[in-house]
Amino acid sequence: MAATALATVVVTWAAPFQTSAEASAAGCSSGSHGSAGYAYAGFESSKVSSGVRATIAPLRAPSVQAGHAAAWIGVGGKSAGRSGETMWLQTGIAALPNTPPMVYAEITRAGRDPVFVPLLENVQVGDRHRLAVLEMNRRPGVWRVWVDGKPATDPIVLEGSHRLWKPIATAESWNGGVTTCNGFGFRFERVGVARSLGGSWRTFQPGFTFEDRGYRVRQLRPAPGGQRTLSSDPIQAYAFDAASAA
């Protein structure tokens, strides 16, 4: 794990989770799906796709004593490249100690440290932001982050990433290396995956579930094959809440 530089608003976080077995009994701040001190509540898609999108909102003010709490969508991970390279791209809402939540992007290219990029500051409880990580049309392996329908980053080259990854939608907590339990509650709505470069969106179908000790996922609106969702429904499929138990 590299150092954190909050003074320059460049934060390096540890790598995303690695799939493993049952949640550890070590406590709410140390889960089974990542490095020590990390815990997750969310889903991996059942299918390899060219992108992922979701509307994400904080349901309550996060309580972050150390480290961070975040809700994000993304692709890639530790040793996720075709030759075992670590690389990923994610966007979401993050909360740090004594800092209002923000919309961010995090970019990790092969052989480089992660780069944390703040995109929108002062996200309030109930604010809903439409976020997407999407492989660009006619440019396999080149990605972009979108915020509220507009591109928020330059094109990002992730070598060898075309048709490689199952997207992820999850909440995450890191305890900053101390014994603490960060509190949060986030809602994910309209979660979808891109069936082709540039879009062609379809409803998210969950595969693996991440639900570490002390954190929970509550499905709100599934979208089984063949089932339609009315536009008048207050919560749009695919939707779930991810929160700390406290």
Side-chain angles (χ1 to χ4, degrees):
M1 184 186 304
T4 300
L6 292 177
T8 57
V9 203
V10 177
V11 182
T12 302
W13 292 350
F17 49 73
Q18 299 172 343
T19 300
S20 71
E22 297 178 351
S24 167
C28 67
S29 295
S30 185
S32 62
H33 304 117
S35 303
Y38 279 76
Y40 297 88
F43 300 99
E44 181 182 62
S45 172
S46 62
K47 299 180 182 297
V48 171
S49 303
S50 290
V52 57
R53 69 178 181 183
T55 298
I56 302 177
L59 297 175
R60 54 187 168 97
S63 174
V64 180
Q65 304 302 315
H68 65 252
W72 56 265
I73 55 173
V75 293
K78 185 177 180 180
S79 303
R82 292 194 184 278
S83 299
E85 308 93 335
T86 291
M87 54 183 176
W88 68 79
L89 177 62
Q90 64 179 241
T91 184
I93 297 174
L96 308 172
N98 304 311
T99 303
M102 68 186 79
V103 175
Y104 75 96
E106 189 172 85
I107 306 162
T108 304
R109 297 177 175 88
R112 303 187 194 180
D113 288 335
V115 176
F116 181 93
V117 183
L119 299 175
L120 292 173
E121 298 181 348
N122 296 314
V123 176
Q124 302 298 308
V125 173
D127 285 354
R128 302 166 76 249
H129 289 286
R130 294 178 292 119
L131 308 176
V133 169
L134 181 62
E135 203 170 5
M136 297 179 67
N137 190 32
R138 299 181 182 178
R139 300 185 69 179
V142 182
W143 302 74
R144 242 180 178 168
V145 168
W146 293 71
V147 177
D148 296 328
K150 298 179 180 179
T153 65
D154 291 332
I156 299 161
V157 178
L158 298 176
E159 295 285 353
S161 61
H162 180 58
R163 301 302 301 169
L164 181 61
W165 293 323
K166 295 178 180 179
I168 299 154
T170 190
E172 169 186 298
S173 177
W174 174 48
N175 66 8
V178 301
T179 302
T180 187
C181 294
N182 293 323
F184 61 84
F186 294 102
R187 176 159 294 172
F188 293 72
E189 293 186 68
R190 298 179 182 270
V191 188
V193 293
R195 68 173 73 230
S196 61
L197 298 174
S200 186
W201 296 97
R202 63 186 176 192
T203 302
F204 186 87
Q205 296 288 341
F208 192 87
T209 299
F210 303 92
E211 194 169 27
D212 282 316
R213 187 172 185 265
Y215 300 93
R216 64 177 183 266
V217 177
R218 182 167 67 97
Q219 183 175 267
L220 301 174
R221 182 71 65 190
Q227 177 177 315
R228 294 190 177 186
T229 302
L230 299 177
S231 60
S232 60
D233 285 352
I235 298 173
Q236 296 297 307
Y238 183 83
F240 66 94
D241 287 347
S244 58

